[in-house]
C-alpha cells in the first residue's frame, strides 16, 4: 500500500536491533486518515471471507484492529497480556514473545468471546517472527474458530514470520514489507 510505504520512508525511525519506530503515525500518535485507508484495504483484501470477529493482542494492534472491525461491521476482540480482576471465568491462553519489547507474555481471551462458529481475521501492526499472530492462532484453535487470515500493517520480510505462519496454513496479507533496516543510515528499505 503506497500511502503506508511513503509514511514509513518519510516518518519511520530505524532504531537498534531491527526496530522500526512508527509511533508518530501508527502507534502512539495515530494518523486517522492513514488508519482508515489501511482498514479499508484489509476489508478489500478479506472481502468474501465472511469474517465474524477481528482479533489482535494489546496494545499497538488495537487501533488498526478496531478500524478494520468497524469497516467489516463485526466485533473486535483483543488478547490481554495478563489476567486482570475484571476477567472472570475460563480463558483461552497462549504464550507469545514480543520482539519489540523483548519480553515473553501469556496472552488471554475469555472463552465467551470466541467460539467454533467464528471466522477470525487476525490483525496486527507488525510481523517479525510470527510470535504474536501465532499465539492468537493458537487461541483460535483452542476455541475451534476458523482463521481466515492475518492482516499485517508492516512486515519485516527479512525475518521468519511469514514463512512460519504460512507453514501453519495462515494466509498473510501485509500492507507494507520492509526488506532491510539500516540503523547507521536510519533508512528502511521496502
Amino acid at each position: 500500500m503506497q500511502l503506508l510505504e511513503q509514511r514509513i520512508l518519510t516518518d519511520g525511525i530505524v532504531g537498534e536491533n531491527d526496530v522500526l519506530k512508527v509511533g508518530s503515525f501508527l502507534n502512539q500518535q495515530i494518523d486517522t486518515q492513514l488508519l482508515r485507508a489501511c482498514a479499508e484495504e484489509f476489508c478489500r483484501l478479506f472481502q468474501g471471507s465472511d469474517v465474524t470477529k477481528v482479533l489482535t493482542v494489546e496494545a499497538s494492534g488495537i487501533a488498526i484492529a478496531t478500524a478494520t472491525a468497524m469497516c467489516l461491521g463485526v466485533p473486535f476482540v483483543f488478547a490481554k497480556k495478563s489476567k486482570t480482576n475484571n476477567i472472570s471465568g475460563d480463558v483461552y491462553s497462549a504464550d507469545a514473545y514480543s520482539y519489540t519489547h523483548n519480553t515473553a507474555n501469556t496472552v488471554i481471551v475469555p472463552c465467551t468471546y470466541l467460539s467454533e462458529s467464528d471466522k477470525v481475521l487476525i490483525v496486527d501492526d507488525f510481523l517479525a517472527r510470527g510470535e504474536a499472530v501465532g499465539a492468537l492462532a493458537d487461541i483460535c484453535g483452542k476455541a475451534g474458530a476458523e482463521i481466515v487470515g492475518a492482516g499485517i500493517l508492516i512486515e519485516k520480510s527479512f525475518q521468519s514470520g511469514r514463512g512460519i505462519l504460512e507453514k501453519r496454513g495462515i494466509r498473510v496479507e501485509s500492507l507494507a514489507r520492509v526488506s532491510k533496516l539500516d540503523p547507521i543510515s536510519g533508512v528502511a528499505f521496502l
Side-chain angles (χ1 to χ4, degrees), residues 106-159:
T106 298
V107 296
I108 60 170
V109 172
C111 292
T112 56
Y113 295 172
L114 289 174
S115 72
E116 59 191 21
S117 64
D118 283 316
K119 292 186 174 186
V120 177
L121 173 59
I122 297 170
V123 174
D124 209 358
D125 60 339
F126 275 94
L127 174 61
R129 296 186 309 202
E131 296 271 349
V133 174
L136 295 174
D138 291 345
I139 286 173
C140 288
K142 291 173 183 178
E146 177 185 339
I147 301 167
V148 301
I152 306 297
L153 286 176
I154 303 169
E155 175 185 345
K156 295 178 182 177
S157 60
F158 58 91
Q159 293 184 315

Side-chain angles (χ1 to χ4, degrees), residues 1 3-4 6-8 10-11 22-39 63-64 67 153:
M1 178 179 183
L3 183 61
L4 177 57
Q6 187 58 44
R7 286 303 293 273
I8 292 167
T10 59
D11 298 326
V22 294
S24 68
F25 60 96
L26 278 182
N27 288 345
Q28 192 168 10
Q29 173 174 272
I30 298 172
D31 178 334
T32 57
Q33 297 305 311
L34 174 63
L35 188 72
R36 177 183 291 139
C38 291
I64 186 57
L153 286 176

Side-chain angles (χ1 to χ4, degrees), residues 20-109:
L20 176 60
K21 299 176 184 180
V22 294
S24 68
F25 60 96
L26 278 182
N27 288 345
Q28 192 168 10
Q29 173 174 272
I30 298 172
D31 178 334
T32 57
Q33 297 305 311
L34 174 63
L35 188 72
R36 177 183 291 139
C38 291
E40 288 171 354
E41 181 64 5
F42 283 144
C43 288
R44 185 190 70 76
L45 289 167
F46 290 98
Q47 79 181 54
S49 297
D50 299 323
V51 175
T52 63
K53 297 246 173 89
V54 173
L55 176 66
T56 196
V57 65
E58 67 177 351
S60 296
I62 289 176
I64 186 57
T66 301
T68 302
M70 289 174 70
C71 182
L72 290 168
V74 300
F76 152 64
V77 177
F78 69 90
K80 289 194 169 210
K81 292 181 181 173
S82 61
K83 191 168 183 176
T84 58
N85 289 333
N86 63 347
I87 295 177
S88 60
D90 293 332
V91 297
Y92 298 117
S93 66
D95 293 329
Y97 177 80
S98 170
Y99 184 83
T100 304
H101 298 285
N102 194 27
T103 58
N105 296 296
T106 298
V107 296
I108 60 170
V109 172

Side-chain angles (χ1 to χ4, degrees), residues 176-189:
R177 296 182 77 187
V178 176
S179 63
K180 180 181 176 185
L181 296 171
D182 184 354
I184 294 169
S185 67
V187 175
F189 296 91

